[in-house]
Amino acid sequence: MSFKKYRQYPIVENMNRRWPNNTISKAPIYCSVDLRDGNQALVNTLTVKQKIEYFNQLVKMGFKNIEVSYPSASDTDFNFTRKLIEGNLVPDDVFIQVLIPAKKEWIKKSVEAMIGVKKGIFHLYNPTNEFQKKVVFQKSDEEIIAMAVEGMKYLKELTKDFEGEIIYEYTPESFSQTNLDFAVKICNEVIKVVNPNTKNKMIINLPNTLEACMPNIYADRIEWMCNNLNNRESLIVSVHPHNDRGTAIASAEMAILAGANRVEGTLFGNGERAGNLDLITFAFNIYSQGINPDLNLTFIDEVKDFFEKTTNIKTHIRHPYVGEMIFTAFSGGHQDAIKKGMDFYRTEDCKEWNVPYLLIDPKDINRDYEKVIRINSQSGKGGVSFIISEFFGVKMTKEEEIEFGKVIKKVSDEKKQELTQKEIIELYKIKF
């Protein structure tokens, strides 16, 4: 390994940043890109039937912006888009979005896929970083800008007679590796073509296409762009964080503090390479701060089961909020604190959740308290007492807790495994 072949990501110089003093007070606009990644990032791409089922899950969760396809990339994506529109499968309050490379033939194909749409977002993009400009496309700055401008002009021309509600979105695709002066220049040229206003806004999407910087630097870049984009009041600034450094969620949260209004991501972080922003964790983070997440998270275990079955991707047992063991405590000290916290929460009729080691109430996502405290040789009297009182209805004295805790520890040590609730209750009956 040679760390010397890498260089540090540049900071935004002379930045009079305001975002560190801001707070998140409401949920942003969410855009799910799961269905695009159903073709791009899965070993076995989703069928039209699977895509429809997935779309219905996203709608049930409350997503109002859903990027459904990359119509010029595959017949599956094109046909799925047509199926949604012709089958009248899109609710009246949901925008479906298509991703479009800035090439005329692909723009035309994408527009054909969206004929008859009631609410549509046309998401045009082209790469903008120095390497891609010079090495991949072998084009000058002016030629790259012309690609975006001419692409948006052509897109507007093809969609001018659409009867549905249309929103235009532009992405400097490799924003995270693009010089900020060039990024704002190309975005402002495209904004000029769209000519949005406060009633008919356009979306400027600024992705961490490759997450190469710390979240605070990404936030600086977003705030800088928000300060320098023309006609800002007529724009929805969107972010699309990837997770190559493992900090996509932090990047998204800080980007909202920095002025972004919208986040693009996927359920559980599916996507190319290390994945996209995990919208589930992002929404739960907001929820845990007492803010309406604007998504229905109450049936999240059902969503997780559907996701795993459909994508063949298993969520980790330690995945925030939804992992199988995320609310589980084996440690005696943790169990004692949880038991006392739960007892206080109930007896004092608390209005605010403040139980040690549990960020949210498991009941909020229909998780039974049975999974919160589990007993093995590391457990103590608090955990045992919780099991007996919660599931057997008996309140033990402090002396009984200590004595029975020793029994449980001895049996668990001998068996070298976790004891079930049934085994613990049976041992209690024998002992007392």
Side-chain angles (χ1 to χ4, degrees):
M1 295 178 69
S2 175
F3 64 87
K4 291 187 177 180
K5 64 184 176 184
Y6 303 104
R7 62 178 178 179
Q8 196 161 31
Y9 196 97
I11 64 171
V12 181
E13 295 183 354
N14 302 315
M15 185 72 189
N16 183 23
R17 63 185 59 80
R18 298 175 182 172
W19 66 262
N21 294 322
N22 294 337
T23 57
I24 296 176
S25 58
K26 66 177 182 177
I29 301 167
Y30 300 101
C31 177
S32 158
V33 299
D34 290 81
L35 293 168
R36 171 170 45 101
D37 280 298
N39 270 20
Q40 289 186 315
L42 295 177
V43 175
N44 299 313
T45 59
L46 302 183
T47 65
V48 170
K49 181 176 181 293
Q50 286 176 314
K51 279 175 170 281
I52 290 172
E53 291 172 347
Y54 207 127
F55 179 81
N56 290 335
Q57 280 281 2
L58 294 171
V59 169
K60 185 178 177 182
M61 292 182 69
F63 284 98
K64 304 302 181 186
N65 287 194
I66 302 174
E67 189 164 84
V68 296
S69 67
Y70 193 144
S72 62
S74 72
D75 288 340
T76 300
D77 269 21
F78 184 92
N79 293 336
F80 169 59
T81 310
R82 294 310 309 151
K83 182 81 172 177
L84 289 175
I85 295 169
E86 292 172 357
N88 199 28
L89 301 178
V90 184
D92 291 342
D93 61 345
V94 172
F95 280 87
I96 60 171
Q97 176 173 310
V98 291
L99 184 65
I100 313 169
K103 289 190 176 182
K104 281 195 171 183
E105 65 271 26
W106 293 343
I107 294 171
K108 187 172 185 295
K109 180 82 170 177
S110 301
V111 171
E112 289 172 356
M114 291 281 273
I115 291 172
V117 70
K118 293 178 183 177
K119 290 182 183 290
I121 300 173
F122 290 86
H123 182 185
L124 187 77
Y125 79 93
N126 66 318
T128 53
N129 77 57
E130 201 66 26
F131 184 89
Q132 287 175 300
K133 284 188 293 185
K134 291 185 176 180
V135 179
V136 178
F137 289 92
Q138 298 179 347
K139 291 183 182 295
S140 66
D141 286 3
E142 291 71 25
E143 288 173 316
I144 292 294
I145 291 173
M147 182 187 296
V149 167
E150 295 306 315
M152 186 58 78
K153 285 180 178 177
Y154 187 58
L155 176 58
K156 282 196 72 180
E157 175 63 25
L158 292 182
T159 56
K160 70 181 190 313
D161 294 326
F162 270 47
E163 294 181 358
E165 185 177 349
I166 300 301
I167 296 175
Y168 299 103
E169 176 174 352
Y170 174 67
T171 293
E173 187 258 336
S174 46
F175 171 73
S176 50
Q177 276 70 48
T178 299
N179 175 278
L180 282 175
D181 288 331
F182 183 73
V184 80
K185 183 177 181 180
I186 194 169
C187 286
N188 281 336
E189 289 299 319
V190 176
I191 291 167
K192 195 185 300 181
V193 173
V194 176
N195 192 27
N197 56 53
T198 53
K199 289 186 178 179
N200 299 290
K201 295 186 178 185
M202 78 168 291
I203 300 168
I204 293 293
N205 185 52
L206 304 171
N208 242 2
T209 307
L210 178 70
E211 188 190 33
C213 65
M214 293 173 65
N216 62 300
I217 297 178
Y218 185 54
D220 283 352
R221 290 173 64 87
I222 298 303
E223 184 170 321
W224 189 94
M225 289 292 290
C226 287
N227 290 340
N228 289 278
L229 287 167
N230 292 339
N231 206 0
R232 175 65 183 92
E233 69 280 0
S234 300
L235 304 176
I236 297 168
V237 174
S238 178
V239 292
H240 183 114
H242 276 261
N243 199 43
D244 302 275
R245 299 180 78 253
T247 56
I249 294 164
S251 292
E253 291 177 335
M254 291 186 183
I256 296 299
L257 296 176
N261 318 106
R262 182 178 184 266
V263 293
E264 295 188 348
T266 59
L267 303 183
F268 310 109
N270 179 41
E272 307 102 321
R273 305 182 311 279
N276 290 296
L277 166 68
D278 176 359
L279 291 175
I280 298 300
T281 301
F282 181 93
F284 268 119
N285 281 355
I286 289 176
Y287 178 75
S288 72
Q289 302 302 299
I291 300 166
N292 183 352
D294 278 351
L295 288 177
N296 184 354
L297 304 172
T298 58
F299 62 108
I300 197 62
D301 279 345
E302 176 189 319
V303 174
K304 180 167 73 80
D305 291 343
F306 170 82
F307 172 83
E308 292 180 343
K309 177 184 175 183
T310 305
T311 64
N312 290 316
I313 297 174
K314 295 292 182 185
T315 50
H316 197 278
I317 60 171
R318 304 289 185 195
H319 192 287
Y321 301 102
V322 299
E324 181 184 340
M325 293 183 66
I326 194 59
F327 296 117
T328 301
F330 284 106
S331 160
H334 288 200
Q335 291 177 344
D336 185 57
I338 290 172
K339 178 188 181 299
K340 289 173 180 173
M342 292 287 289
D343 288 345
F344 183 84
Y345 179 74
R346 288 166 171 170
T347 57
E348 299 298 319
D349 193 25
C350 296
K351 303 304 180 187
E352 292 185 357
W353 180 259
N354 187 23
V355 174
Y357 304 109
L358 297 179
L359 185 56
I360 66 170
D361 186 347
K363 292 286 187 184
D364 289 350
I365 58 170
N366 298 315
R367 290 281 182 94
D368 197 287
Y369 289 140
E370 182 178 353
K371 294 183 179 180
V372 173
I373 291 180
R374 290 162 57 177
I375 305 299
N376 64 14
S377 60
Q378 302 301 308
S379 307
K381 58 182 176 58
V384 171
S385 175
F386 178 86
I387 296 293
I388 296 300
S389 63
E390 189 77 14
F391 305 108
F392 194 51
V394 174
K395 184 170 178 59
M396 303 170 70
T397 66
K398 186 173 278 287
E399 292 73 23
E400 287 175 335
E401 287 179 5
I402 294 171
E403 189 177 348
F404 191 48
K406 291 177 182 177
V407 171
I408 292 298
K409 189 177 285 288
K410 182 175 183 296
V411 173
S412 182
D413 258 334
E414 291 172 351
K415 288 193 170 188
K416 297 189 179 346
Q417 65 183 35
E418 176 186 359
L419 299 182
T420 66
Q421 181 192 123
K422 182 178 179 181
E423 287 175 316
I424 294 165
I425 293 173
E426 288 302 316
L427 286 168
Y428 177 83
K429 290 177 180 177
I430 294 170
K431 177 66 178 174
F432 297 103

